Amino acid sequence: MLLVPFLSQAQNTWKVATFNVRYDNKGDKEKGNGWDKRLPVILSLIKFHEFDVFGAQEVLKGQYADLNQGLDEYASVGIGRDDGVDKGEFAPVFYKKDKFKLINSGTFWLSETPDVPSKGWDASLPRICTWAQLLEIATGRKSWFFNLHMDHVGIVAREESARLVIKKMKEMVGGDPAFLTGDFNVDQNNTIYRILADSKFVKDSHEHTKERYALNGTFNAFDSNLMTDSRIDHIFVTSGVSVNKYGVLTDSYRSPTTQTEEIKKGDFPKELSFRQYETRMPSDHFPVVVEVVLE
């Protein structure tokens, strides 16, 4: 008789996320959206929502060091896209060290020569997909996580990148559960999105969830007053994964303004007052998180 280990709800359920954290640059800092201000919010957001595994995008070397230092309960894998070491943006995969053990990992370029640093088709920049094969310590289950950032200019590059990543996943994962996260730079109305969604190998978690919390699309341009239905950050899963919940996390924070006087609003106790602050976003993309169960 085969004995199946009892799985607690926490063990049986994973939180998987994708988060374009926006690259560190001088222009953002001058507008009040510097990495130094956003980093503590991003770290708190990830810890509070308790992502088990997540893919990040637009991560420069210094940012990668900051995330690794601030997320000491996670381990990660990733390399720079420009040289395969530490130059250019990373697309790392982070995973909880107490829940998963790394079996294998790697990176391929979204190009005609995926095994070496390269720029593919009509892309404006080198683009990569980082992958990790993980073992769940409590159960011995194996799974695969692929995290990418497609080009924002090259239409052919995005189309061919979608085909390439499906081909690679089919070659690598076998019958194991697999996840594909990232900034795809195509929304749900784009024909390139359909290459993935109609692949019969992966499915869009947004379309196959039992419960959805998505009051906005996934891009915000650092403007809290903007609204879009477009989802360019996606989490795709294979058939062995059941999606319980899908959410776009529209968390914000506040930064001081030059106005320092107290403000009274509404019929509240007299000792309660406000000050004028500016609403800001942790990144110009909202993170996406799903709660999944492996079937």
Side-chain angles (χ1 to χ4, degrees):
M1 178 180 177
L2 178 64
L3 296 178
V4 179
F6 171 76
L7 299 179
S8 69
Q9 185 64 30
Q11 287 176 327
N12 199 38
T13 303
W14 296 355
K15 284 187 176 180
V16 177
T18 184
F19 198 172
N20 182 325
V21 299
R22 175 66 173 179
Y23 74 102
D24 184 10
N25 67 85
K26 182 180 178 182
D28 286 348
K29 189 169 186 176
E30 291 173 347
K31 296 175 183 177
N33 296 310
W35 175 246
D36 59 326
K37 304 296 184 184
R38 300 188 292 109
L39 173 62
V41 183
I42 288 172
L43 295 176
S44 294
L45 185 155
I46 291 167
K47 292 177 181 180
F48 181 82
H49 289 286
E50 298 183 316
F51 300 162
D52 291 306
V53 184
F54 71 95
Q57 303 87 39
E58 291 197 24
V59 184
L60 296 177
K61 180 181 178 180
Q63 293 175 286
Y64 193 32
D66 290 339
L67 290 170
N68 279 315
Q69 181 179 7
L71 299 171
D72 55 1
E73 64 268 49
Y74 292 82
S76 69
V77 295
I79 59 174
R81 70 187 184 189
D82 289 1
D83 64 351
V85 184
D86 60 5
K87 287 184 171 57
E89 294 178 6
F90 293 61
V93 175
F94 290 81
Y95 59 93
K96 281 190 175 178
K97 293 186 289 190
D98 65 348
K99 190 161 187 172
F100 298 100
K101 180 180 178 180
L102 182 67
I103 300 173
N104 202 355
S105 66
T107 296
F108 57 87
W109 276 258
L110 302 177
S111 77
E112 300 95 323
T113 53
D115 297 328
V116 296
S118 50
K119 186 169 63 173
W121 302 285
D122 59 346
S124 63
L125 296 163
R127 299 292 184 172
I128 55 175
C129 179
T130 301
W131 60 268
Q133 184 187 22
L134 300 179
L135 176 77
E136 187 179 29
I137 297 170
T139 66
R141 293 184 297 199
K142 297 177 182 179
S143 57
W144 298 74
F145 295 82
F146 294 77
N147 178 53
L148 58 74
H149 189 182
M150 287 188 184
D151 200 64
H152 65 302
V153 175
I155 296 174
V156 175
R158 277 174 277 173
E159 182 177 344
E160 294 300 328
S161 295
R163 292 194 174 99
L164 176 64
V165 73
I166 291 297
K167 177 177 179 289
K168 286 281 190 180
M169 290 180 72
K170 286 179 177 179
E171 291 172 352
M172 296 170 69
V173 307
D176 293 334
F179 301 81
L180 172 60
T181 64
D183 175 356
F184 292 75
N185 274 312
V186 293
D187 74 4
Q188 67 275 19
N189 301 309
N190 192 296
T191 56
I192 298 171
Y193 163 87
R194 299 254 54 101
I195 295 173
L196 299 158
D198 296 341
S199 67
K200 298 184 179 179
F201 185 73
V202 296
K203 57 188 179 182
D204 184 359
S205 58
H206 178 276
E207 301 302 314
H208 293 84
T209 185
K210 296 175 183 175
E211 183 176 341
R212 184 182 301 118
Y213 179 71
L215 305 180
N216 204 329
T218 66
F219 184 70
N220 61 64
F222 284 128
D223 189 338
S224 62
N225 293 314
L226 295 180
M227 168 69 187
T228 179
D229 293 324
S230 291
R231 294 179 285 107
I232 62 173
D233 304 86
H234 304 288
I235 300 177
F236 293 93
V237 301
T238 56
S239 58
V241 179
S242 177
V243 184
N244 285 344
K245 297 179 181 180
Y246 171 101
V248 177
L249 305 180
T250 56
D251 301 50
S252 63
Y253 67 103
R254 306 294 183 271
S255 65
T257 67
T258 56
Q259 300 181 39
T260 58
E261 66 274 12
E262 291 188 351
I263 300 171
K264 298 293 184 178
K265 288 274 189 178
D267 188 17
F268 296 111
K270 63 180 181 180
E271 62 270 20
L272 178 62
S273 63
F274 300 90
R275 294 187 187 277
Q276 189 69 48
Y277 275 60
E278 185 172 353
T279 303
R280 295 193 181 274
M281 307 292 134
S283 173
D284 62 345
H285 289 243
F286 293 123
V288 179
V289 60
V290 295
E291 181 185 281
V292 301
V293 175
L294 273 62
E295 298 171 354

